[in-house]
Amino acid sequence: MVWLKRTRSYLLTVALLLAATLGSVAQQAAVSATEPLPQDSGDAGLRQMLLRLSTTGRLLHITAHPDDEDGGMLTLESRGKGVTAMLLTLNRGEGGQNKTGSSFFDELGALRTLELLAADRYYGVEQRFTRVADFGFSKSAAETFEKWRGHDVALADIVRVIRTFRPDVIVSRFQGSTRDGHGHHEAAGILSREAFDAAGDPKRFPEQISEGLRPWQAKKLYVDNVRESEDWTVRFDTGEMSPALGMSYRQFAMQGLRHQLSQGADAWRATAGPHMTFYKLVASTLPSTTGPDGHERDLFDGIDTSVKGLASAAGPEAARVANLSRTLQQIDDLVRQASSAGDQVSAASHLLTGLKLTNELMDGVRNSAVSVGVRRELLTELATKQYQFEEAAQLALGISLRAMLDPTRGTEIVVPGETFTVRVILEPGPQSQSVRATDMRLELPDGWRWNRLASTDGNANSAVFEVSVPRDAAFTRPYYHRTDPERDTVYSLDDPEYVTLPMIPPPVRVRAVYEFAGQAAALSSTLQAQVTAADGTKELRTVAVAPPFSLTVEPAMLVVPLGSQGPVEVSVDVRSNLENVADAVLKLHAPQGWRVQPISHGVTFERRGENKRFRFYLFPESEREARFDVRATLEHQGRDYEQGYTVLGRADIGTAYYYHPAVQRVSIVDVKLPKYLQVGYVMGAGDGIPEVLRQVGMDVKMISPQELAGGDLHKYGTIVLGVRAYDTRDDVRRNNKRLLDYVANGGTLVVQYNSGVADFNGGNFTPYPAKLGRDRVTVEEAPMELLDPGDDVFDFPNELTQRDFQGWVQERGLYFMSEWDERLHPLLASHDPGEQPLQGGLLRASYGHGTYIYTGLSFFRQLPSGVPGAVRLFVNLMSAGHESGR
């Protein structure tokens, strides 16, 4: 490609500068999720698309969680070889920890979905998910399948993806054995092998066949997690330098992976240089594809991935499609001619001719007498080429299509029942000023209506549309849900049409047909709006549909001490997506016998996007531990609104809307408190523990970085370090001696779990020698043995019994100590079924005049869930060393 050769040195320089900023998260965020990556724009993007046009290879990579994927391999295959690749991730990581805040369960899953989609842009792949959820760490595939209702829920979704995507090659990240290190990983490996066979068997999941899907047999199945010293089939150097990217494939993939901030990926690095990965072929429908040395050179060895090879794949039926072989050869020739063209206009001409031939061939296939299976295979491949030709022509001509919501609205939200305007502009490139739009139209969901308004600027390449949203329009929300995210392990589908998709598609798209030099093509775009983010910056967001009002009850969990007469403050945040609201009424509905003041609030709003907070006061009435729900409703024009949504995301990953009922869960807890104990809390990665402690009546103050570094810590009787404090905060590591001195002078320090095992152990943060391990107890009902029942931790100020370990959620604990000095005393033992007791989950030591406690118990899950026994135990831990205040 002549003009690309002229600019390659410039592109390489730019890409190398990007590589030099690999350590900067801010640099990543500079590329908005609504903008293409530099490598997918202009000449660089065209080169990538021409590479894809030259092959029909399809690859499916199957993993368990976000961040499991071999991004280097995906980037090498997609960007280095032009393969059409898809990543299938079984769950959304909703059971993991969150290094960026206190969002957990399904809210965390939605955030990680966005982060993975941002990574996928770098890998150059599509994304799919199954319905099974991440329920936390699992130690065996048997436990995983028990939680996931057997094999068939996840297997059905994997088979559906295979039958839809129709890959030539499947690569499982995991082998399906205990070496995979996680029950979810092992299950993913087992399911990959099962799906390889099941997808081609019409007797498996016949309901999919009834829907119109056809069986599909992939040709080869590989597994990852193979060592060089083992029996591998093919290897790749993902550290190979890519001139188009200006760095290695692995380094570019790492730029994508580092968008997964909730995983702590911003600290991950990929150094330059060779990086070999090995794969083993475990199933194949082909004759042997290995060489004399027993190895292959490529995952697609033995598979014809040429465009003209589609005729051979059709077998004897190829003759039933007029001129199939000749037309495919012409299409292939046009791609080569575009690649070697002397300028972009010439390249565009070849690409538009190739698009025309592809469209004609698709019509020929539809009207031919070929079998259903052959027709599906040909149309799947030709539809991919159709899209690639359109994208390549758009890049060659330098044209773009923008669709913007009326900027006076100031929000990306539209509401059922309203009407709004959209402005669409087709912008020619410097080399394509003669491009003219011949048709512009909106693509809308069923029931929506649009009308093109009269043009006032005389520009044929622009248009203004009026759009009417039906009153029953669906909201932009996840198409799946769990009624009880703390215990349900499989999602229910609210709209099965979208099963396996990451999220529902945007509601409004615009498509424009244009002409250039007598040839026609089309391009499309999503409707966007410019909004002002919370930090004051301007950003583009995809337009979404939401209810007129969003209600959020704060806090989401209210822990009330037994016997409390109140008042307890409850806040309801209301966001309006309407203008000039004057007659809404907000109410709070409490359990029978409870009083609420005031009975209601009148609610008014002047503008869209306005938020207001309203306070109610609860007067509880309960004589025993129990759980209740408090519900908020907003009545407006005869309709009640009783749900809300949280806007998740960042400029670099886009936006999602997590919906929740306007409900506050209330847990009545019988808990006694120590007298006159002031607690200082040092926040780590983020958790909801301080809020719960305040609710039950503890005096808790947040310790700022400045206070930690130089303030008077001795005014606190106890200091608590939040989860992953040593992992996430340099100042906590730097000031560890101050914390230990605080203990030595009589204070109590409670340290919660950290996951950076090597860094924690290397820092020698404990007062006596100890080694942090990765042991955990994943079964929330696992037995808990009191090793020293006489320790005050178990009777002051609350007397604890075995009932206090009932009703825990997801797990007992994680990252227990594996070794410790004899001066650190274990207080509890627990274990998963079939394992030896673990004693490193709760350790206590006297140090100087004070008390040091390390705990890996998952209080960060238990307290925000209102688990009574966990609340009592945590209060007792903070009271350790203060028994004189009985």
Side-chain angles (χ1 to χ4, degrees), residues 198-525:
D201 184 353
K203 296 179 181 178
R204 299 301 307 274
F205 307 106
E207 69 279 4
Q208 297 179 7
I209 306 301
S210 300
E211 294 172 19
L213 293 181
R214 304 299 301 171
W216 178 257
Q217 180 59 64
K219 299 171 182 66
K220 301 165 82 174
L221 171 66
Y222 294 86
V223 295
D224 195 353
N225 205 11
V226 181
R227 302 184 183 98
E228 184 175 10
S229 59
E230 297 175 331
D231 182 19
W232 54 269
T233 307
V234 63
R235 66 179 178 183
F236 297 113
D237 180 9
T238 58
E240 175 188 342
M241 187 70 175
S242 166
L245 302 177
M247 63 191 78
S248 74
Y249 295 103
R250 181 168 175 259
Q251 286 178 304
F252 193 70
M254 185 60 72
Q255 281 201 346
L257 185 64
R258 292 180 63 236
H259 286 272
Q260 300 190 39
L261 298 184
S262 68
Q263 313 263 28
D266 56 313
W268 299 348
R269 300 288 184 270
T271 57
H275 184 82
M276 307 305 298
T277 55
F278 302 85
Y279 298 88
K280 180 178 176 60
L281 181 67
V282 294
S284 175
T285 64
L286 305 175
S288 176
T289 51
T290 58
D293 60 357
H295 301 313
E296 294 178 332
R297 295 172 301 168
D298 188 81
L299 295 173
F300 290 85
D301 279 2
I303 303 172
D304 187 351
T305 60
S306 66
V307 174
K308 60 184 180 181
L310 291 176
S312 300
E317 295 190 59
R320 299 179 183 178
V321 180
N323 301 317
L324 176 62
S325 295
R326 186 176 68 183
T327 305
L328 289 172
Q329 183 63 64
Q330 290 174 325
I331 291 171
D332 205 22
D333 291 342
L334 286 164
V335 173
R336 284 197 297 273
Q337 291 167 20
S339 299
S340 59
D343 58 78
Q344 290 168 295
V345 172
S346 298
S349 178
H350 295 308
L351 292 168
L352 292 172
T353 302
L355 175 62
K356 179 175 182 292
L357 290 178
T358 301
N359 290 334
E360 291 173 350
L361 187 54
M362 291 177 72
D363 289 338
V365 171
R366 293 188 189 100
N367 297 323
S368 70
V370 297
S371 64
V372 174
V374 170
R375 179 179 293 111
R376 173 66 63 89
E377 184 172 356
L378 287 172
L379 289 178
T380 296
E381 296 296 344
L382 291 173
T384 299
K385 295 304 159 200
Q386 178 189 53
Y387 165 78
Q388 292 170 347
F389 270 122
E390 288 182 343
E391 290 291 305
Q394 178 182 346
L395 289 164
L397 294 172
I399 61 177
S400 62
L401 183 67
R402 292 191 297 114
M404 297 297 298
L405 187 65
D406 178 2
T408 64
R409 297 173 61 92
T411 174
E412 80 277 18
I413 298 298
V414 298
V415 173
E418 74 168 336
T419 299
F420 59 87
T421 57
V422 177
R423 182 173 182 81
V424 180
I425 301 177
L426 175 65
E427 296 182 335
Q431 68 275 18
S432 56
Q433 289 298 308
S434 62
V435 164
R436 291 292 179 268
T438 60
D439 184 43
M440 286 185 178
R441 60 184 58 244
L442 300 184
E443 297 176 340
L444 303 171
D446 291 341
W448 292 50
R449 298 288 182 266
W450 62 272
N451 177 46
R452 184 165 180 169
L453 304 180
S455 176
T456 58
D457 60 7
N459 183 358
N461 286 346
S462 70
V464 177
F465 298 90
E466 183 179 73
V467 180
S468 298
V469 188
R471 292 192 176 276
D472 60 351
F475 301 144
T476 304
R477 62 185 302 171
Y479 62 87
Y480 52 86
H481 78 277
R482 291 192 288 176
T483 303
D484 184 357
E486 294 178 357
R487 291 177 173 82
D488 294 345
T489 56
V490 175
Y491 285 105
S492 298
L493 298 180
D494 301 312
D495 196 337
E497 174 186 358
Y498 302 117
V499 63
T500 78
L501 292 182
M503 52 187 63
I504 65 172
V508 182
R509 291 186 63 84
V510 60
R511 186 166 178 84
V513 178
Y514 66 90
E515 284 189 354
F516 178 74
Q519 299 188 86
L523 69 164
S524 61
S525 180

Side-chain angles (χ1 to χ4, degrees), residues 51-64:
L51 186 62
R52 292 185 174 120
L53 274 165
S54 67
T55 178
T56 62
R58 288 174 174 267
L59 180 146
L60 178 66
H61 186 35
I62 302 177
T63 71

Side-chain angles (χ1 to χ4, degrees), residues 534-784:
D535 61 0
T537 60
K538 300 289 186 181
E539 66 180 55
L540 292 179
R541 291 183 182 174
T542 301
V543 167
V545 184
F549 304 99
S550 170
L551 283 65
T552 302
V553 186
E554 294 288 350
M557 166 60 73
L558 180 63
V559 180
V560 178
L562 181 65
S564 172
Q565 300 299 309
V568 178
E569 183 178 302
V570 177
S571 299
V572 182
D573 292 334
V574 183
R575 171 192 168 102
S576 175
N577 292 316
L578 298 177
E579 290 183 307
N580 301 321
V581 175
D583 55 351
V585 177
L586 179 67
K587 294 182 179 180
L588 195 69
H589 307 271
Q592 186 174 4
W594 292 31
R595 290 190 297 119
V596 179
Q597 289 183 352
I599 296 175
S600 64
H601 283 284
V603 178
T604 62
F605 291 102
E606 295 181 358
R607 55 183 174 81
R608 292 186 182 92
E610 191 175 356
N611 289 277
K612 289 187 177 181
R613 171 165 287 192
F614 300 89
R615 290 179 171 83
F616 293 89
Y617 295 91
L618 281 178
F619 295 84
E621 185 66 40
S622 182
E623 299 178 353
R624 59 183 176 81
E625 286 193 342
R627 286 178 175 266
F628 302 95
D629 283 345
V630 173
R631 182 171 54 90
T633 59
L634 183 77
E635 190 275 330
H636 179 250
Q637 296 184 350
R639 296 188 64 181
D640 285 339
Y641 299 92
E642 49 189 13
Q643 65 176 333
Y645 61 86
T646 302
V647 181
L648 302 173
R650 309 182 299 269
D652 63 310
I653 63 174
T655 303
Y657 303 86
Y658 173 71
Y659 278 75
H660 49 78
V663 169
Q664 179 183 70
R665 295 177 299 161
V666 180
S667 178
I668 305 296
V669 176
D670 184 5
V671 58
K672 299 179 178 61
L673 305 179
K675 296 179 182 178
Y676 316 119
L677 178 62
Q678 185 171 8
V679 177
Y681 203 96
V682 179
M683 188 61 74
D687 60 71
I689 292 176
E691 184 174 41
V692 175
L693 295 177
R694 294 190 187 104
Q695 290 171 7
V696 299
M698 295 293 295
D699 181 5
V700 181
K701 301 282 194 306
M702 304 305 294
I703 297 179
S704 69
Q706 295 78 14
E707 186 178 9
L708 180 61
D712 179 15
L713 300 181
H714 296 289
K715 65 184 179 182
Y716 302 108
T718 294
I719 293 177
V720 179
L721 300 189
V723 298
R724 302 173 77 167
Y726 289 104
D727 294 345
T728 58
R729 290 183 54 170
D730 290 337
D731 65 320
V732 174
R733 296 190 290 271
R734 286 196 307 269
N735 290 292
N736 187 66
K737 186 177 185 303
R738 291 200 80 223
L739 291 169
L740 293 183
D741 288 345
Y742 158 82
V743 177
N745 289 322
T748 295
L749 179 65
V750 179
V751 178
Q752 297 185 78
Y753 92 98
N754 288 269
S755 63
V757 174
D759 291 336
F760 186 90
N761 291 333
N764 298 310
F765 298 122
T766 53
Y768 305 116
K771 287 188 177 181
L772 184 64
R774 300 185 183 277
D775 290 334
R776 61 179 76 202
V777 179
T778 64
V779 177
E780 58 267 36
E781 303 89 0
M784 299 284 276

